[in-house]
Amino acid sequence: MVSRCLMPFHLLRSTIIMRRSPLSSLHWNFFCGRWSCDVRLDGQTAIITGANTGIGKETARDLAKRGARIIMACRDMEKAEGARKEITEDCGNENIVVHKLDLSDTKSIREFAELVNKEEKQVNILINNAGIMMCPYSKTKDGFEMQFGVNHLGHFLLTYLLVDLIKCSAPARIVNVSSVAHTWTSMRLDDINSEKSYDQVKAYGQSKLANVLCTRSLAKRLQGTGVSVFSLHPGVVQSELWRHLNNPVQVAVKVFQPFTKSSVEGAQTSIYCAVEPGLEKESGGYYSDCAPARCSRTASDDDLAQKLWELSCKMLAITWE
């Protein structure tokens, strides 16, 4: 187990090792550019949460260039509208809309899903991208620890509310943006809201572990429906997610910036999981650098995944067998 104070540095160090490794040099050089695939998405609809900034915005830009109808699901509507205009001007795709979605509020999630189910004929791609990272302790409007509530429960509920429409749109894909941080901790089912003790780094890791566990569970539940599900680590990306870290770590992030990915580079694995032909056969898989990756032993625990699924349903007051 990596100590609390060293976890962010461990993440940066892992990136440096990957870059220096002879075995991974081809991967790294490859990611100095963009993943290349000429798949078109004309006539398809993609929902991307947190699409107003960072890798979510670059994912939206790429899918828009492929001809997809883009639904940008964002909390900050002013920033989202600015991103929509930028992407429209860049891609020439006018079929891009912005809808309000606050993943820290189940009422907002339900309102967003109701709007989509009412107005959209199909949803071919759902990319659960939005997230919050290593923030001070706080709770969502429904009383969930903020990181677990936004990063896991918010997307879990959103997927539940849209899954029937997604199944009717098959072949379709659901992509959950997780992180290598899922390897940092275990799942504290007896204190899921960190009310007994709170470690902002471990809480982040727990929320990302939940993403991987529930991706595998959902893939099993959707077998035979034509809907495939993937989770991924985007890499260490230069983004606003680092804003909650303390000053020494902020300085370290800047020092190691040459070893991190840009938002464009960080978006590539999300795009890969959304459009790569033939990936349906690998539903439930975990990816990094546009390739299958090994998740932690805890993330492969089917019993734990089932317990988390049941607990998530109970916390959200839903029934999802």
Side-chain angles (χ1 to χ4, degrees), residues 1 21 57 86 174 240 274:
M1 185 69 68
S21 168
K57 179 179 175 182
E86 177 188 325
I174 299 169
E240 296 178 1

Side-chain angles (χ1 to χ4, degrees), residues 71-321:
I71 300 175
M72 302 173 66
C74 306
R75 182 177 58 85
D76 188 330
M77 292 298 285
E78 182 178 352
K79 185 179 288 187
E81 183 57 29
R84 185 196 68 79
K85 290 180 179 178
E86 177 188 325
I87 294 172
T88 297
E89 291 173 0
D90 182 31
C91 304
N93 185 342
E94 298 286 344
N95 202 3
I96 303 174
V97 297
V98 173
H99 291 321
K100 174 78 172 182
L101 174 64
D102 183 349
L103 288 163
S104 68
D105 182 358
T106 58
K107 180 182 177 182
S108 174
I109 298 169
R110 290 183 179 277
E111 289 174 347
F112 172 84
E114 182 180 4
L115 179 64
V116 170
N117 282 317
K118 180 180 179 181
E119 294 189 350
E120 301 298 327
K121 296 180 180 179
Q122 61 186 21
V123 171
N124 309 94
I125 300 170
L126 170 62
I127 301 181
N128 291 319
N129 164 82
I132 188 168
M133 179 179 177
M134 304 180 197
C135 58
Y137 188 77
S138 62
K139 289 188 174 182
T140 68
K141 292 185 179 180
D142 300 277
F144 310 134
E145 185 275 312
M146 185 63 72
Q147 296 189 84
F148 189 77
V150 170
N151 297 349
H152 168 58
L153 289 175
H155 283 127
F156 187 87
L157 178 60
L158 176 63
T159 304
Y160 165 76
L161 295 170
L162 295 178
V163 73
D164 287 340
L165 179 58
I166 294 172
K167 286 192 288 187
C168 290
S169 309
R173 297 187 184 185
I174 299 169
V175 179
N176 296 319
V177 179
S178 181
S179 168
V180 71
H182 84 269
T183 65
W184 293 350
T185 188
S186 58
M187 188 64 61
R188 299 172 60 196
L189 296 179
D190 61 338
D191 187 27
I192 203 68
N193 285 316
S194 302
E195 293 173 325
K196 297 177 182 177
S197 64
Y198 180 67
D199 182 309
Q200 64 191 53
V201 178
K202 291 182 180 179
Y204 176 68
Q206 176 176 252
S207 71
K208 296 288 115 177
L209 174 58
N211 293 154
V212 182
L213 285 166
C214 284
T215 293
R216 298 178 68 253
S217 292
L218 183 56
K220 293 178 181 178
R221 285 170 167 80
L222 292 177
Q223 283 181 353
T225 66
V227 181
S228 49
V229 194
F230 309 96
S231 64
L232 64 96
H233 169 53
V236 183
V237 182
Q238 304 157 23
S239 75
E240 296 178 1
L241 282 176
W242 297 94
R243 65 187 181 277
H244 294 296
L245 299 180
N246 58 36
N247 288 336
V249 178
Q250 293 276 11
V251 171
V253 170
K254 292 180 179 179
V255 169
F256 291 115
Q257 187 169 340
F259 301 100
T260 61
K261 292 181 179 181
S262 67
S263 293
V264 171
E265 292 166 343
Q268 299 308 303
T269 305
S270 295
I271 300 164
Y272 175 86
C273 289
V275 306
E276 170 68 7
L279 212 58
E280 299 86 357
K281 295 175 289 186
E282 306 301 327
S283 184
Y286 173 71
Y287 287 77
S288 179
D289 286 348
C290 298
R294 182 177 297 178
C295 61
S296 70
R297 181 176 299 179
T298 303
S300 301
D301 186 331
D302 290 336
D303 290 337
L304 177 60
Q306 180 60 28
K307 290 177 182 178
L308 173 63
W309 188 277
E310 293 172 358
L311 178 60
S312 299
C313 288
K314 181 178 179 180
M315 294 174 75
L316 293 166
I318 61 175
T319 301
W320 193 1
E321 298 299 336

